[in-house]
Amino acid sequence: MSAEVILSSLANGVMLGGLYALVALGLTLIFGVMKVINFAHGSLMMLSMYASFWLATRAGLDPYLSLLVTLPAAFGVGYAIQRAVIAPVLRAPEHNQLLMTLGLALFLDNLALVVFRADPRTLLVAYSQTTVPLGSIRLNLPRLLAFAGALVISGLLWLFLKRTALGRALRASAEERDGAALCGIPVGRVHATAFGIGTACVAAAGAMALPFFYVSPEVGNTFVITAFVVVVLGGLGSFPGALVGGLLVGVVESLGGLYVHGSLAQIGIFGLFVAVLLIRPAGLLGARHA
């Protein structure tokens, strides 16, 4: 196998890993703030992909420009879902929360099946097959744009959490929910905001994946299973862990595809997942608990 093939695969893995990291960031933000594992995360990504798809085919709006519409809409949908569905079970036993988000995922997936049918759809844009030279290899432009977009959004999210009052309120609620409430932080609205931001992150990932990935009612499951692996691998609730885990998973999946059939490419991810959990159960960058 030539060095160019390996380098191309490595570059593709890094670019794909950036997208995985963005999906995982939304998931880990929701878990970090509310301690809720959101099984509907992939279903919300699927809906955002359909929204961008229809905006592109009916209104001629490029998937990246559609972010101007889908991001605020996704935030609003996430905010409303948290207030209407998640908040009532927030203090219930964890299995109730899991079943609630799982039920929501099943509802959204089946609703999409009824409305959009099971046929997968693909969107070809003018730059779908465009490549960009990088040394001896060429990078697919849509994947490169998705990677750059994921990095930009991740950086903005990090600045938001570190430098704004609302970001500090989110972190305070994540550290100590009752203590934050005693300090006057409106914890309920903060939780809804976290869910809205997490939904917007996965909506952005969906829109940016559209130029090189199909959309169907089941597409969210493909990403959300990998996102769960990324989150646990990096450390539950860890922002840098999600980034590192996403890039690592993307590279392992891409390089694995060189040596095994494409349908088995993810076997390396789950092997790595089991190995990391055996050696470091808290994840690569997760906090150890006494």
Side-chain angles (χ1 to χ4, degrees):
M1 189 175 298
S2 70
E4 286 187 1
V5 172
I6 295 175
L7 283 175
S8 294
S9 181
L10 185 62
N12 281 326
V14 170
M15 292 187 291
L16 184 61
L19 203 62
Y20 284 157
L22 184 57
V23 177
L25 279 177
L27 202 58
T28 204
L29 177 67
I30 292 170
F31 178 83
V33 174
M34 288 188 293
K35 305 296 182 288
V36 169
I37 298 176
N38 181 22
F39 280 107
H41 204 59
S43 302
L44 293 168
M45 179 178 181
M46 173 270 295
L47 291 180
S48 78
M49 292 180 78
Y50 271 113
S52 293
F53 178 85
W54 292 118
L55 283 170
T57 54
R58 299 297 172 87
L61 201 58
D62 184 89
Y64 294 98
L65 292 178
S66 73
L67 290 172
L68 298 173
V69 178
T70 56
L71 282 189
F75 176 84
V77 168
Y79 193 100
I81 286 176
Q82 198 281 338
R83 299 297 275 182
V85 179
I86 307 299
V89 297
L90 206 52
R91 292 187 181 273
E94 289 182 357
H95 64 269
N96 284 13
Q97 300 168 6
L98 291 174
L99 291 173
M100 179 60 81
T101 60
L102 182 60
L104 179 62
L106 292 172
F107 171 76
L108 293 176
D109 289 352
N110 283 279
L111 179 65
L113 200 58
V114 171
V115 175
F116 304 121
R117 305 301 179 188
D119 302 329
R121 293 177 168 90
T122 56
L123 178 68
L124 289 177
V125 294
Y127 50 85
S128 285
Q129 303 301 321
T130 304
T131 58
V132 177
L134 178 66
S136 59
I137 63 175
R138 300 189 71 85
L139 305 179
N140 179 261
L141 181 59
R143 287 175 181 265
L144 185 60
L145 290 174
F147 175 67
L151 289 186
V152 169
I153 293 173
S154 301
L156 292 175
L157 182 58
W158 184 85
L159 286 174
F160 168 76
L161 291 174
K162 293 290 184 182
R163 302 295 175 84
T164 67
L166 183 54
R168 287 191 286 274
L170 282 168
R171 289 189 286 129
S173 299
E175 290 292 330
E176 178 52 59
R177 180 187 304 175
D178 294 330
L182 288 173
C183 292
I185 294 174
V187 175
R189 288 205 297 272
V190 167
H191 285 173
T193 301
F195 204 94
I197 294 173
T199 304
C201 284
V202 79
M208 292 190 293
L210 196 56
F212 59 90
F213 211 86
Y214 68 92
V215 56
S216 74
E218 294 83 19
V219 69
N221 298 330
T222 304
F223 282 92
V224 79
I225 291 174
T226 305
F228 276 122
V229 173
V230 169
V231 169
V232 177
L233 194 63
L236 280 168
S238 170
F239 191 94
L243 286 174
V244 172
L247 294 175
L248 190 59
V249 164
V251 169
V252 170
E253 180 180 335
S254 185
L255 291 179
L258 292 178
Y259 300 99
V260 297
H261 189 272
S263 61
L264 300 175
Q266 289 193 325
I267 193 171
I269 297 174
F270 298 114
L272 176 67
F273 176 69
V274 172
V276 169
L277 286 185
L278 286 174
I279 298 169
R280 188 178 169 81
L284 292 174
L285 300 179
R288 290 179 182 273
H289 298 285

